[in-house]
């Protein structure tokens, strides 16, 4: 099955950019996703990228996909305290999605 | 708005008890999932279902079973709860039949087995 790995923790200052990285093993994943989990809540989809794309931009979020290296990243520009959360990358196709371990983002005011 | 509702936010059960975790979704989604979330391990898939009365094992099904008698409801059953099943349980649903399987999550049930 798919393995998805992330670093567990990232700390940035308010106003800086955050970059959260993810590596995955299954190159057949059709879509790759970024989910956000705020304290005490379930996960919410932030953005996704189709596997034949290299980059997707959505306001402050930029997703980069390097299929050769099986590497996915999420860049958050002008990081705010409200961005403090756990971020999960995930990959999959029909029906089943595999989630990474999650990266806890701490934003320092 | 898609809504996935889990019946309890917090549960405390005794070792050996049979535990039912209920999940209901209101978007007519075909797919439903049960995950457990543990620090440093992320989300691990326990079971999923892509249709009524259908179920598939995920990555860690041991000690669990599921039931899907109606499309909107997916139940997770711990046949005999053990302390190593203390965890956060997350239910999710998604629309079937397309590759973009955005999942919608419930708020989670934090289960403590004592």
């Amino acid at each position: 099955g798919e393995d998805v790995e992330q670093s567990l923790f990232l700390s940035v200052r308010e106003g800086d950019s955050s970059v959260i990285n993810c590596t995955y093993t299954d190159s057949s994943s059709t879509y790759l996703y970024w989910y956000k989990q705020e304290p005490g809540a379930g996960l919410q989809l932030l953005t996704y990228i189709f596997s034949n794309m290299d980059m997707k931009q959505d306001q402050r979020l930029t997703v980069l996909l390097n299929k050769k290296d099986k590497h996915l990243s999420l860049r958050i520009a002008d990081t705010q305290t409200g961005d403090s959360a756990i971020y999960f990358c995930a990959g999959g196709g029909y029906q089943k999605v595999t989630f990474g371990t999650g990266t806890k983002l701490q934003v320092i005011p | 708005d898609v809504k996935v509702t889990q019946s309890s936010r917090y549960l405390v059960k005794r070792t050996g008890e049979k535990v039912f975790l209920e999940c209901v979704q209101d978007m007519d989604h075909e797919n439903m999932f049960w995950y457990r979330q543990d620090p440093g391990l992320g989300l691990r898939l326990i079971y999923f279902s892509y249709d009524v009365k259908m179920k598939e094992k995920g990555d860690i099904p041991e000690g669990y079973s599921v039931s899907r008698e109606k499309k909107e409801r997916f139940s997770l059953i711990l046949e005999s709860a053990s302390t190593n099943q203390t965890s956060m349980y997350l239910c999710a649903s998604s629309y079937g039949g397309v590759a973009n399987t955005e999942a919608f999550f419930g708020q989670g049930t934090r289960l403590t087995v004592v």
Side-chain angles (χ1 to χ4, degrees):
Chain A
E2 169 96 89
D3 276 333
V4 182
E5 293 193 2
Q6 304 175 236
S7 55
L8 290 180
F9 192 76
L10 176 67
S11 180
V12 299
R13 292 207 172 274
E14 191 174 17
D16 286 351
S17 291
S18 309
V19 179
I20 303 171
N21 294 302
C22 171
T23 56
Y24 59 97
T25 57
D26 187 356
S27 57
S28 68
S29 290
T30 312
Y31 283 88
L32 293 138
Y33 306 86
W34 284 103
Y35 282 81
K36 177 183 181 182
Q37 184 182 35
E38 295 183 356
L43 280 68
Q44 281 193 301
L45 182 67
L46 266 184
T47 186
Y48 65 90
I49 188 167
F50 189 47
S51 56
N52 69 354
M53 296 169 66
D54 299 323
M55 186 181 92
K56 181 179 179 182
Q57 187 148 5
D58 185 0
Q59 299 182 342
R60 291 190 298 121
L61 305 178
T62 303
V63 179
L64 294 177
L65 175 60
N66 181 328
K67 281 198 79 172
K68 177 175 164 288
D69 294 338
K70 296 180 187 165
H71 183 264
L72 182 74
S73 68
L74 173 70
R75 179 177 179 269
I76 305 172
D78 186 26
T79 311
Q80 303 298 306
T81 53
D83 295 323
S84 293
I86 302 175
Y87 291 82
F88 291 89
C89 70
Y94 286 91
Q95 296 176 345
K96 193 176 168 189
V97 173
T98 300
F99 287 82
T101 50
T103 299
K104 186 169 185 177
L105 175 64
Q106 179 189 44
V107 182
I108 304 165
Chain B
D1 252 6
V2 176
K3 198 159 184 183
V4 179
T5 304
Q6 295 182 230
S7 52
S8 306
R9 289 296 301 271
Y10 301 93
L11 272 181
V12 180
K13 296 292 181 180
R14 294 197 178 277
T15 301
E17 273 193 82
K18 190 168 186 175
V19 181
F20 293 85
L21 302 183
E22 306 285 347
C23 175
V24 177
Q25 51 95 2
D26 65 0
M27 276 301 290
D28 204 34
H29 283 166
E30 285 81 7
N31 301 331
M32 295 189 76
F33 308 84
W34 275 107
Y35 294 89
R36 63 177 282 177
Q37 181 180 8
D38 299 288
L41 296 177
L43 269 67
R44 292 180 291 166
L45 182 64
I46 305 171
Y47 267 97
F48 68 101
S49 168
Y50 53 86
D51 202 353
V52 176
K53 296 193 188 294
M54 304 300 287
K55 60 184 179 186
E56 294 279 345
K57 291 180 180 179
D59 301 316
I60 51 162
E62 295 78 19
Y64 303 95
S65 62
V66 290
S67 172
R68 191 153 180 216
E69 295 296 318
K70 292 186 178 181
K71 191 175 186 181
E72 67 270 20
R73 186 179 297 270
F74 193 36
S75 303
L76 180 69
I77 304 153
L78 286 67
E79 298 290 343
S80 176
S82 64
T83 53
N84 63 11
Q85 292 178 308
T86 291
S87 187
M88 171 71 87
Y89 290 86
L90 292 167
C91 174
S93 71
S94 67
Y95 179 63
V98 294
N100 180 4
T101 51
E102 177 186 353
F104 295 85
F105 282 82
Q107 295 280 73
T109 297
R110 185 165 292 281
L111 173 67
T112 303
V113 182
V114 298

